[in-house]
Amino acid sequence: MMPTRWRVFAILGLIFMMSVFFRVSMAVSAKDLAGDLHLGADQLGVLSGIFFYAFALAQIPLGPLLDRFGGRKMISLTGVITTLGAVVFASAPSYPVAIIGRTLLGIGTACVLMGSLKIYTNWFTVQEFPAVSGFMIAAGNLGNMLATAPLAYAVTSFGWRLTFFAFSFLQAGAALTVYLVARDAPAWPDSPLPAAAPADGEIVSQLAAWRTLFRTPTFWLICLLAFFWYGNYMVLQSLWGGPYLMEAVGMSRVQAGQTLMFTSLGLVLGSLVLGKTIDRMAGSLKKTIMAGQAVILLAMTVMLGPAEQLPRPLLSAVFFLIGLASGTAVIIYPLVRTLVPHQFAATAMTGVNLFLLLGAAVVQHIMGIYIASFPKGPLGYPAGAYHGAFLIPICGLAVALGLFSFAAERTDSPSTVPQA
């Protein structure tokens, strides 16, 4: 029989898979949405980006709420919001209603990864946490794979509305399963990590935890890198990668979905081998992150024009490499977790997650405005519009990576937070 903690992991991995699907599902369905709702590139950018704005803003109260009420209740409750958002989005008759649906999806899915990681802090040791975090990303990104070629086939066969209705039912089942089966911590007293802080003085301690983070330069360097890493990954996988491949490279929707699926496959594999990668980097989380981000930076330059000249198999290999290297970025969570005591782990992780999701929202939005400034032809926007747009996140990542090289790395987590 599967050990309890891995059963909890499997259940949370399932709902994270649904969360990731909704997060990146616009890339291969963007042209259908644009045609059905009569949207321009700037509106598509807002429609995709609003998910990430809502997701990011939800991180502000989320950390303290998770530390106070636990992951099981919060994930189950927000799972209902996700289901509602999926139904509203699938039935949207207009652009404003679609915005409401995507906003609800962003709010509803905001808790899944952070809530799961909060639960894992009670089921797995500090030494196990980086590898388990990688496994979670791998499990969740099965949803990323669903949102590529399989979604392209489904949208082509059944239309985008019916497809999203079907996924709303799957989401409802996943949320119910978490509530019925998942547990925040082991029932026995000898759990692998210390118990949460007592309620007395909890608000004061939470404020002290935030102050500790805000006064730590490494926290801001991690946040900046997270902002531009996820900005690069999401503009490619969540929205503009699909239109770029279809309009500039000349692929069909299914071909674009198949190419994007290589990114998902790479991320799954990169997440699974994360533990071994850290070992090869002498156990250094910082060195592992920097190596992965350098590979992403180099590979993303292909979107500045070379992608249109590369043979399709080689282009698929580049997308796979971007996903593979992105598997190292999950280390930002165990890295930032070392900056505060265990009982405030969710506060630290949601803090960096706020900037990570803002990166996806802001970069997608700005790229949409830039692309829309070009005249749209019968086949879509010109290749030059995409080249200039992709240059925005690429330059940002280069700066963030350079600054991150000055970040300090600690191997232990502080046991206390200074009292306010």
Side-chain angles (χ1 to χ4, degrees), residues 21 24-33 144-156 160 163-164 236-243 245-246 252-261:
F21 169 83
V24 303
S25 57
M26 281 191 59
V28 299
S29 57
K31 294 196 75 170
D32 298 82
L33 283 164
N144 207 331
M145 294 173 61
L146 280 176
T148 55
L151 178 60
Y153 284 116
V155 170
T156 301
W160 70 274
T163 299
F164 278 94
L236 189 69
Q237 194 71 7
S238 175
L239 181 59
W240 296 118
L245 292 173
M246 287 184 272
S252 67
R253 182 196 297 109
V254 172
Q255 289 173 329
Q258 291 171 339
T259 303
L260 290 171
M261 187 167 66

Side-chain angles (χ1 to χ4, degrees), residues 1 6 14 45 53 67 87 114 121 130 133 163 168 236 242 244 267 290 330 356 399:
M1 184 177 179
W6 289 111
L14 173 64
Y53 283 120
D67 286 331
V87 172
M114 294 299 98
T121 62
S133 300
T163 299
S168 70
L236 189 69
Y244 171 67
L267 182 55
M290 290 191 65
V330 71
L356 183 139
V399 172

Side-chain angles (χ1 to χ4, degrees), residues 54-372:
F55 195 120
L57 291 176
Q59 303 303 306
I60 296 174
L62 183 59
L65 286 172
L66 283 171
D67 286 331
R68 176 67 180 86
F69 297 106
R72 171 177 164 266
K73 290 181 180 178
M74 292 300 299
I75 293 172
S76 302
L77 176 62
T78 55
V80 176
I81 299 175
T82 303
T83 303
L84 177 61
V87 172
V88 171
F89 181 68
S91 59
S94 62
Y95 175 59
V97 178
I99 287 287
I100 294 173
R102 287 285 292 178
T103 301
L104 290 172
L105 284 170
I107 295 171
T109 58
C111 180
V112 178
L113 180 58
M114 294 299 98
S116 299
L117 294 180
K118 171 63 177 178
I119 291 173
Y120 297 156
T121 62
N122 295 320
W123 285 97
F124 298 92
T125 66
V126 173
Q127 292 73 26
E128 294 171 321
F129 195 77
V132 171
S133 300
F135 295 157
M136 183 61 170
I137 297 299
N141 275 280
L142 293 175
N144 207 331
M145 294 173 61
L146 280 176
T148 55
L151 178 60
Y153 284 116
V155 170
T156 301
S157 302
F158 306 107
W160 70 274
R161 292 185 185 275
L162 186 58
T163 299
F164 278 94
F165 272 125
F167 276 95
S168 70
F169 284 104
L170 293 175
Q171 165 63 30
L176 180 61
T177 303
V178 170
Y179 183 77
L180 294 176
V181 182
R183 293 293 179 267
D184 287 301
W188 52 89
D190 55 340
S191 59
L193 291 172
D200 294 341
E202 186 170 3
I203 294 178
V204 174
S205 297
Q206 287 282 1
L207 293 175
W210 277 114
R211 190 167 66 243
T212 298
L213 288 172
F214 290 162
R215 291 178 176 178
T216 305
T218 296
F219 172 73
W220 295 108
L221 295 176
I222 293 172
C223 288
L224 183 64
L225 188 68
F227 184 99
F228 281 108
W229 162 65
Y230 209 55
N232 275 268
Y233 183 79
M234 278 292 116
V235 297
L236 189 69
Q237 194 71 7
S238 175
L239 181 59
W240 296 118
Y244 171 67
L245 292 173
M246 287 184 272
E247 297 177 7
V249 181
M251 293 184 179
S252 67
R253 182 196 297 109
V254 172
Q255 289 173 329
Q258 291 171 339
T259 303
L260 290 171
M261 187 167 66
F262 279 94
T263 314
S264 303
L265 289 169
L267 182 55
V268 170
L269 180 60
S271 302
L272 290 175
V273 301
L274 186 58
K276 293 184 180 297
T277 305
I278 296 172
D279 289 341
R280 289 186 176 273
M281 293 290 176
S284 171
L285 302 183
K286 177 183 173 181
K287 290 179 181 178
T288 306
I289 293 174
M290 290 191 65
Q293 295 298 307
V295 171
I296 295 169
L297 182 62
L298 180 62
M300 282 294 296
T301 60
V302 172
M303 310 308 154
L304 303 181
E308 293 133 53
Q309 310 300 325
L310 290 177
R312 297 290 170 82
L314 184 56
L315 182 58
S316 296
V318 171
F319 275 69
F320 178 83
L321 184 62
I322 292 172
L324 186 70
S326 292
T328 63
V330 71
I331 304 173
I332 61 174
Y333 298 117
L335 186 62
V336 77
R337 181 189 168 192
T338 66
L339 303 180
V340 295
H342 165 70
Q343 64 265 32
F344 300 112
T347 298
M349 291 186 292
T350 52
V352 74
N353 212 40
L354 166 65
F355 289 91
L356 183 139
L357 272 299
L358 278 177
V362 171
V363 175
Q364 286 187 86
H365 191 174
I366 292 176
M367 284 183 64
I369 294 173
Y370 181 87
I371 293 170

